[in-house]
Amino acid sequence: MDKYIKVRKIGEGSFGKAILVKAKEDGQQYVIKEINISKMSNKEREESRREVAVLANMKHPNIVLYRESFEENGCLYIVMDYCEGGDLFKKINAQKGILFSEDQILDWFVQICLALKHIHDRKILHRDIKSQNIFLTKDGTIQLGDFGIARVLNSTAELARTCIGTPYYLSPEICQNKPYNNKSDIWALGCVLYEMCTLKHAFEAGNMKNLVLKIISGPFPPVSMHYSYDLRNLLSQLFKRNPRNRPSVNSILEKNFIAKRVEKFLTPELIAEGFNHKIFHKFGPHASPAKRPVQEQTLTSVAPAQKITKPAAKYGVPLTIRKSCGVPKKPNEKKPLTKIRQVRIVGGWKFILEMQIISEVQ
Ligand code: ADP
Ligand code: MG
């Protein structure tokens, strides 16, 4: 810590403090996350260190840049860029009920998707997507923060976090004690998109039990008809109760009305890097092995799906409710074994015939 001067504490997060600091070396402001690891088991502590090593390698214009990490007095410190524009939650509240334009929403949304794609393509789950973890830089660029850190927590800590923290983004599968997967991140992404469109949470209730019930089976108030069909339809896809029916971040980014915004935010090099491949990254127990170097697999957080909290059981909610809501189900939602995928490449569109069974998560 002696390289930094503490400016002020900016928050007490679910897994530690967030401190605004100034670096002695360059006078720049940074945020330091302080996580107490002294009470963790050796295994958890090791996992935290590995996890931080992964975070350190994440470099993307839409991801808050991690500068360095160190340990002192039983705490793990993670130094990251300070986002001067504040978070999306504050931005939404500052609207005082005046809706954002669709253009603004989609420009933000595509940047969040690009950050999530970068993470998911590397088989890392965010696990804590919420408007309070999405930041704006001074120039208005969106940056996703706080990813991966949640993974280092054990399930008890995660339950506490969910209950003390922000439970609005809990997905139906987590409410039903199923493992967290990439589509749980997509659910949370849907919650953020909904918030941007309505300035409200999609699922709200006076207590946790009713909230869990709503998430599992309740309706959400429709968004304004003032927004396009594409946008409203996308929301209903993100809010599919069955995670398998939610689109992956790659297929969201392939939708025309989203894809056309990508080049506004990525350099041609990054587009080429992220969009010019046909490997459909898979998660979970059905993920095909050895698509990536072994070392990378061991570093990331897909490995055995961690059973997390039992909020539904804890709050006495029956786990059998499976009523669907929102947009009616299409009669035949079977997936084709062969599928033509449209892949964006620099300078045009390319159609790739994938002879692969595309298995979505779980
Ligand atoms: P939480 O667990 O609720 O996300 P955090 O510790 O991440 O809490 O954040 C606490 C506060 O600090 C929040 O108001 C958040 O907006 C702010 N904050 C966190 N990281 C940054 C950052 N890199 N730049 C600017 N503000 C940040
Ligand atoms: Mg945070």
Side-chain angles (χ1 to χ4, degrees):
M1 275 301 266
D2 50 354
K3 278 159 63 184
Y4 301 94
I5 302 160
K6 185 173 167 178
V7 177
R8 67 189 145 91
K9 190 171 102 178
I10 53 172
E12 185 97 48
S14 24
F15 33 86
K17 284 183 203 143
I19 309 158
L20 178 65
V21 298
K22 199 170 183 167
K24 287 180 185 165
E25 196 184 7
D26 58 6
Q28 285 272 355
Q29 288 192 311
Y30 296 101
V31 168
I32 297 191
K33 283 296 186 70
E34 182 190 87
I35 301 161
N36 190 339
I37 55 166
S38 65
K39 293 189 185 82
M40 288 180 178
S41 69
N42 282 343
K43 195 167 158 256
E44 284 169 338
R45 215 171 296 143
E46 264 322 300
E47 202 182 332
S48 317
R49 290 174 186 137
R50 267 204 311 276
E51 202 65 42
V52 169
V54 174
L55 299 185
N57 283 322
M58 286 287 154
K59 285 194 177 59
H60 188 276
N62 301 115
I63 291 177
V64 177
L65 191 62
Y66 283 70
R67 294 285 171 178
E68 63 162 334
S69 69
F70 52 89
E71 281 177 39
E72 249 175 55
N73 309 323
C75 284
L76 175 63
Y77 293 92
I78 305 171
V79 186
M80 66 190 88
D81 277 358
Y82 172 53
C83 303
E84 284 184 55
D87 62 46
L88 200 56
F89 182 74
K90 286 184 198 130
K91 196 93 187 162
I92 288 170
N93 282 334
Q95 284 299 105
K96 304 253 179 287
I98 298 164
L99 297 183
F100 291 116
S101 71
E102 179 154 338
D103 235 25
Q104 176 65 89
I105 293 172
L106 292 179
D107 274 355
W108 282 341
F109 181 73
V110 73
Q111 294 178 75
I112 304 168
C113 287
L114 290 170
L116 196 59
K117 171 184 168 54
H118 189 81
I119 299 170
H120 280 188
D121 278 355
R122 283 153 187 79
K123 302 200 170 194
I124 296 169
L125 305 177
H126 187 289
R127 293 176 163 266
D128 201 14
I129 294 174
K130 54 182 182 180
S131 54
Q132 278 159 305
N133 277 339
I134 297 168
F135 300 98
L136 285 153
T137 64
K138 205 164 40 180
D139 73 359
T141 304
I142 284 279
Q143 290 194 329
L144 184 59
D146 267 3
F147 67 94
I149 305 172
R151 177 69 176 85
V152 306
L153 297 168
N154 60 29
S155 45
T156 323
E158 192 140 0
L159 174 62
R161 190 170 70 84
T162 311
C163 298
I164 298 165
T166 326
Y168 304 109
Y169 304 81
L170 274 179
S171 58
E173 60 274 18
I174 301 308
C175 291
Q176 294 173 84
N177 193 31
K178 291 175 187 160
Y180 198 100
N181 60 62
N182 57 321
K183 298 299 182 68
S184 317
D185 275 349
I186 298 293
W187 175 276
L189 179 70
C191 294
V192 171
L193 180 59
Y194 184 94
E195 244 177 292
M196 293 192 285
C197 295
T198 62
L199 315 174
K200 293 187 183 102
H201 292 299
F203 304 97
E204 265 181 313
N207 58 51
M208 191 71 177
K209 179 183 166 181
N210 286 341
L211 178 66
V212 166
L213 268 173
K214 269 199 181 169
I215 292 170
I216 294 175
S217 63
F220 50 87
V223 304
S224 165
M225 292 297 279
H226 154 100
Y227 294 121
S228 69
Y229 171 79
D230 278 339
L231 176 51
R232 287 177 289 124
N233 184 45
L234 173 61
L235 257 176
S236 69
Q237 290 175 16
L238 302 178
F239 280 153
K240 291 279 185 203
R241 256 56 191 223
N242 183 344
R244 287 168 187 270
N245 296 335
R246 282 171 224 150
S248 66
V249 73
N250 277 309
S251 46
I252 297 171
L253 283 163
E254 281 165 20
K255 292 178 189 299
N256 273 333
F257 78 112
I258 303 289
K260 68 181 185 198
R261 289 174 190 265
V262 168
E263 62 197 16
K264 262 169 96 171
F265 302 104
L266 286 189
T267 59
E269 291 74 31
L270 279 173
I271 294 179
E273 190 187 295
F275 289 78
N276 195 14
H277 59 77
K278 60 172 268 182
I279 297 169
F280 199 87
H281 297 290
K282 290 185 263 178
F283 291 79
H286 304 307
S288 60
K291 281 258 162 68
R292 306 185 144 258
V294 173
Q295 200 200 359
E296 195 176 335
Q297 282 198 352
T298 55
L299 276 175
T300 57
S301 54
V302 248
Q306 189 192 15
K307 281 257 177 199
I308 66 167
T309 62
K310 283 188 183 173
K314 181 171 185 308
Y315 296 95
V317 177
L319 300 180
T320 45
I321 307 167
R322 290 269 166 83
K323 212 176 76 198
S324 66
C325 93
V327 165
K329 255 197 184 136
K330 281 192 233 112
N332 185 359
E333 281 192 331
K334 273 196 188 146
K335 285 204 182 66
L337 295 187
T338 312
K339 188 172 152 183
I340 296 175
R341 290 185 64 221
Q342 204 181 22
V343 176
R344 188 78 206 259
I345 57 161
V346 194
W349 291 96
K350 186 176 163 192
F351 294 87
I352 290 176
L353 183 63
E354 260 195 347
M355 298 297 293
Q356 187 186 7
I357 299 172
I358 299 189
S359 91
E360 304 232 23
V361 288
Q362 261 210 333

